[in-house]
Amino acid sequence: MEKLTELIATRKVNYSEDLAVILVSLKKVELKKIVDAHGLKGCSSLNKSELIERISETLCEVNRLKNLLNTIKKESLNALKALSNSSYAALESTDPVDIENLVELGYIYPVLNQADLVFMMPKAVKEIYKSIESPLDQNKTTTSRTVRSATGKQMPIRVNKVGRNAPCPCNSGKKYKKCCGF
Protein backbone atom coordinates (compact mmCIF):
# COMPACT_ATOMS: atom_id res chain seq x y z
CA MET A 1 0.00 0.00 0.00
CA GLU A 2 2.95 2.30 0.71
CA LYS A 3 4.24 1.80 -2.84
CA LEU A 4 0.80 2.66 -4.24
CA THR A 5 0.75 5.89 -2.22
CA GLU A 6 4.17 6.80 -3.60
CA LEU A 7 3.08 5.99 -7.16
CA ILE A 8 -0.04 8.12 -6.78
CA ALA A 9 2.04 11.04 -5.53
CA THR A 10 4.57 10.85 -8.39
CA ARG A 11 2.31 9.77 -11.27
CA LYS A 12 -0.65 12.07 -10.63
CA VAL A 13 -1.52 13.81 -13.92
CA ASN A 14 -4.02 16.33 -15.22
CA TYR A 15 -6.97 14.69 -16.91
CA SER A 16 -6.31 13.85 -20.55
CA GLU A 17 -7.11 10.70 -22.52
CA ASP A 18 -4.22 11.36 -24.92
CA LEU A 19 -1.37 9.01 -23.96
CA ALA A 20 1.30 11.29 -25.44
CA VAL A 21 0.05 14.26 -23.38
CA ILE A 22 0.08 12.15 -20.23
CA LEU A 23 3.59 10.83 -20.85
CA VAL A 24 4.96 14.28 -21.71
CA SER A 25 3.66 15.56 -18.36
CA LEU A 26 5.68 12.94 -16.47
CA LYS A 27 9.30 13.48 -15.46
CA LYS A 28 11.97 11.41 -17.22
CA VAL A 29 12.57 9.52 -13.95
CA GLU A 30 8.94 8.34 -13.95
CA LEU A 31 9.17 7.34 -17.61
CA LYS A 32 12.25 5.26 -16.81
CA LYS A 33 10.31 3.57 -13.98
CA ILE A 34 7.59 2.57 -16.47
CA VAL A 35 10.28 1.21 -18.84
CA ASP A 36 11.88 -0.72 -15.96
CA ALA A 37 8.49 -2.09 -14.83
CA HIS A 38 7.99 -3.53 -18.33
CA GLY A 39 11.52 -4.93 -18.35
CA LEU A 40 12.42 -3.15 -21.57
CA LYS A 41 16.11 -3.30 -22.40
CA GLY A 42 18.30 -0.75 -24.16
CA CYS A 43 16.38 2.31 -23.01
CA SER A 44 18.89 3.86 -20.60
CA SER A 45 20.43 6.12 -23.27
CA LEU A 46 17.11 7.30 -24.77
CA ASN A 47 16.03 10.91 -24.40
CA LYS A 48 12.55 11.78 -23.10
CA SER A 49 10.82 11.83 -26.50
CA GLU A 50 12.32 8.45 -27.42
CA LEU A 51 11.23 7.02 -24.06
CA ILE A 52 7.70 8.30 -24.67
CA GLU A 53 7.65 6.64 -28.10
CA ARG A 54 8.95 3.33 -26.69
CA ILE A 55 6.43 3.37 -23.82
CA SER A 56 3.56 4.19 -26.20
CA GLU A 57 4.50 1.23 -28.42
CA THR A 58 4.79 -1.07 -25.40
CA LEU A 59 1.44 -0.06 -23.89
CA CYS A 60 -0.26 -0.74 -27.22
CA GLU A 61 0.96 -4.35 -27.46
CA VAL A 62 -2.12 -6.58 -27.22
CA ASN A 63 -0.31 -9.69 -25.94
CA ARG A 64 1.44 -7.75 -23.18
CA LEU A 65 -1.91 -6.43 -21.92
CA LYS A 66 -3.51 -9.89 -22.24
CA ASN A 67 -0.75 -11.41 -20.10
CA LEU A 68 -1.26 -8.72 -17.47
CA LEU A 69 -5.05 -9.18 -17.43
CA ASN A 70 -4.58 -12.89 -16.75
CA THR A 71 -2.89 -12.01 -13.44
CA ILE A 72 -5.63 -9.66 -12.21
CA LYS A 73 -8.46 -10.63 -9.87
CA LYS A 74 -12.02 -10.74 -11.21
CA GLU A 75 -13.19 -7.77 -9.10
CA SER A 76 -10.36 -5.68 -10.53
CA LEU A 77 -11.25 -6.75 -14.07
CA ASN A 78 -14.83 -5.62 -13.50
CA ALA A 79 -13.55 -2.22 -12.35
CA LEU A 80 -11.20 -2.01 -15.35
CA LYS A 81 -14.06 -2.80 -17.71
CA ALA A 82 -16.06 0.05 -16.19
CA LEU A 83 -13.02 2.33 -16.47
CA SER A 84 -12.55 1.46 -20.13
CA ASN A 85 -16.11 2.66 -20.78
CA SER A 86 -15.90 5.92 -18.82
CA SER A 87 -13.68 8.96 -18.42
CA TYR A 88 -12.50 8.02 -14.95
CA ALA A 89 -13.43 5.81 -12.00
CA ALA A 90 -12.64 5.57 -8.29
CA LEU A 91 -11.68 1.85 -8.41
CA GLU A 92 -12.65 1.45 -4.75
CA SER A 93 -13.58 -2.23 -5.07
CA THR A 94 -10.29 -3.02 -6.77
CA ASP A 95 -7.41 -4.86 -5.15
CA PRO A 96 -4.70 -2.29 -4.25
CA VAL A 97 -2.00 -4.63 -5.60
CA ASP A 98 -3.73 -4.72 -8.99
CA ILE A 99 -4.03 -0.92 -9.03
CA GLU A 100 -0.37 -0.62 -8.06
CA ASN A 101 0.69 -2.89 -10.94
CA LEU A 102 -1.47 -1.06 -13.47
CA VAL A 103 -0.18 2.37 -12.37
CA GLU A 104 3.42 1.15 -12.23
CA LEU A 105 3.17 -0.22 -15.78
CA GLY A 106 1.46 2.94 -17.07
CA TYR A 107 -1.90 1.47 -18.07
CA ILE A 108 -3.86 3.71 -15.70
CA TYR A 109 -3.04 7.06 -14.09
CA PRO A 110 -4.21 8.77 -10.90
CA VAL A 111 -6.10 12.04 -11.41
CA LEU A 112 -7.55 14.51 -8.90
CA ASN A 113 -11.22 15.13 -9.65
CA GLN A 114 -12.06 18.07 -7.40
CA ALA A 115 -11.00 16.62 -4.03
CA ASP A 116 -11.39 12.95 -4.96
CA LEU A 117 -8.65 10.68 -6.26
CA VAL A 118 -9.80 8.76 -9.32
CA PHE A 119 -8.04 6.81 -12.04
CA MET A 120 -8.19 7.20 -15.80
CA MET A 121 -7.13 5.02 -18.69
CA PRO A 122 -5.61 6.65 -21.80
CA LYS A 123 -7.63 6.32 -24.99
CA ALA A 124 -4.93 4.21 -26.72
CA VAL A 125 -4.99 1.70 -23.84
CA LYS A 126 -8.82 1.68 -23.86
CA GLU A 127 -8.79 0.76 -27.55
CA ILE A 128 -6.33 -2.09 -26.97
CA TYR A 129 -8.32 -3.25 -23.93
CA LYS A 130 -11.55 -3.28 -25.94
CA SER A 131 -9.88 -5.14 -28.82
CA ILE A 132 -9.26 -8.06 -26.51
CA GLU A 133 -12.37 -10.18 -26.92
CA SER A 134 -13.34 -10.70 -23.30
CA PRO A 135 -10.70 -10.31 -20.60
CA LEU A 136 -13.16 -11.48 -17.94
CA ASP A 137 -13.64 -14.80 -19.72
CA GLN A 138 -9.91 -15.32 -20.11
CA ASN A 139 -9.03 -14.59 -16.49
CA LYS A 140 -8.17 -17.64 -14.39
CA THR A 141 -10.04 -20.14 -16.60
CA THR A 142 -6.85 -21.21 -18.33
CA THR A 143 -5.13 -21.97 -15.03
CA SER A 144 -7.60 -24.63 -13.90
CA ARG A 145 -7.41 -28.16 -15.24
CA THR A 146 -11.13 -28.53 -16.01
CA VAL A 147 -14.21 -26.41 -16.66
CA ARG A 148 -17.87 -27.22 -16.74
CA SER A 149 -19.46 -27.30 -20.16
CA ALA A 150 -22.99 -26.10 -20.86
CA THR A 151 -24.25 -29.63 -20.13
CA GLY A 152 -22.59 -29.65 -16.69
CA LYS A 153 -19.86 -32.17 -17.56
CA GLN A 154 -16.32 -31.38 -16.59
CA MET A 155 -14.11 -30.99 -19.62
CA PRO A 156 -10.30 -30.70 -19.65
CA ILE A 157 -8.72 -27.47 -20.80
CA ARG A 158 -5.77 -27.64 -23.09
CA VAL A 159 -3.33 -24.78 -22.65
CA ASN A 160 -0.39 -24.26 -24.95
CA LYS A 161 2.39 -23.29 -22.57
CA VAL A 162 5.25 -21.22 -23.84
CA GLY A 163 8.68 -22.35 -22.70
CA ARG A 164 11.02 -19.76 -21.19
CA ASN A 165 13.50 -20.10 -24.04
CA ALA A 166 10.90 -20.31 -26.80
CA PRO A 167 10.29 -17.33 -29.09
CA CYS A 168 7.78 -14.93 -27.58
CA PRO A 169 4.23 -15.31 -28.96
CA CYS A 170 3.98 -11.51 -29.37
CA ASN A 171 6.31 -11.83 -32.39
CA SER A 172 8.91 -9.46 -30.98
CA GLY A 173 11.71 -11.83 -31.98
CA LYS A 174 12.92 -12.09 -28.38
CA LYS A 175 12.83 -15.09 -26.06
CA TYR A 176 9.68 -15.33 -23.97
CA LYS A 177 11.61 -14.94 -20.70
CA LYS A 178 13.10 -11.61 -21.87
CA CYS A 179 9.89 -10.22 -23.31
CA CYS A 180 6.40 -11.06 -22.05
CA GLY A 181 7.51 -13.68 -19.53
CA PHE A 182 7.95 -11.03 -16.82
Side-chain angles (χ1 to χ4, degrees):
M1 193 71 170
E2 185 177 310
K3 187 175 181 181
L4 179 59
T5 306
E6 178 188 329
L7 279 170
I8 289 171
T10 58
R11 296 262 173 95
K12 203 174 342 172
V13 296
N14 292 324
Y15 180 80
S16 171
E17 286 196 0
D18 185 355
L19 181 60
V21 170
I22 293 168
L23 294 176
V24 165
S25 71
L26 295 176
K27 294 180 180 175
K28 189 173 180 181
V29 174
E30 288 305 311
L31 295 174
K32 286 193 176 217
K33 287 180 182 177
I34 293 173
V35 165
D36 291 343
H38 280 282
L40 302 175
K41 305 291 183 208
C43 296
S44 59
S45 62
L46 299 178
N47 63 33
K48 187 173 179 177
S49 62
E50 292 170 327
L51 279 173
I52 289 170
E53 185 178 326
R54 182 65 198 261
I55 292 168
S56 297
E57 291 170 0
T58 302
L59 292 179
C60 293
E61 291 176 7
V62 175
N63 287 332
R64 190 175 289 269
L65 184 55
K66 275 184 183 178
N67 289 339
L68 177 63
L69 293 175
N70 283 327
T71 67
I72 293 177
K73 295 182 177 93
K74 188 172 183 174
E75 303 82 40
S76 300
L77 282 174
N78 287 328
L80 272 180
K81 185 174 184 177
L83 182 58
S84 72
N85 292 318
S86 64
S87 299
Y88 53 83
L91 302 183
E92 293 164 348
S93 64
T94 310
D95 183 359
V97 174
D98 290 338
I99 293 175
E100 182 181 302
N101 288 337
L102 290 164
V103 171
E104 185 176 33
L105 291 167
Y107 287 106
I108 63 173
Y109 295 87
V111 178
L112 272 179
N113 180 27
Q114 296 166 351
D116 299 328
L117 177 69
V118 294
F119 293 88
M120 55 88 47
M121 183 183 288
K123 186 176 181 181
V125 176
K126 284 182 181 182
E127 290 171 2
I128 298 301
Y129 181 84
K130 289 177 181 178
S131 74
I132 299 171
E133 289 178 9
S134 179
L136 286 172
D137 294 339
Q138 293 174 359
N139 191 42
K140 308 293 184 217
T141 57
T142 57
T143 59
S144 64
R145 295 287 179 220
T146 61
V147 293
R148 293 202 182 272
S149 67
T151 60
K153 291 183 180 178
Q154 287 205 340
M155 310 220 11
I157 295 177
R158 296 204 184 357
V159 179
N160 294 333
K161 291 192 176 186
V162 179
R164 285 180 47 79
N165 290 316
C168 191
C170 76
N171 295 323
S172 66
K174 298 179 185 177
K175 288 184 178 181
Y176 178 70
K177 69 181 178 184
K178 299 218 176 208
C179 189
C180 296
F182 304 128

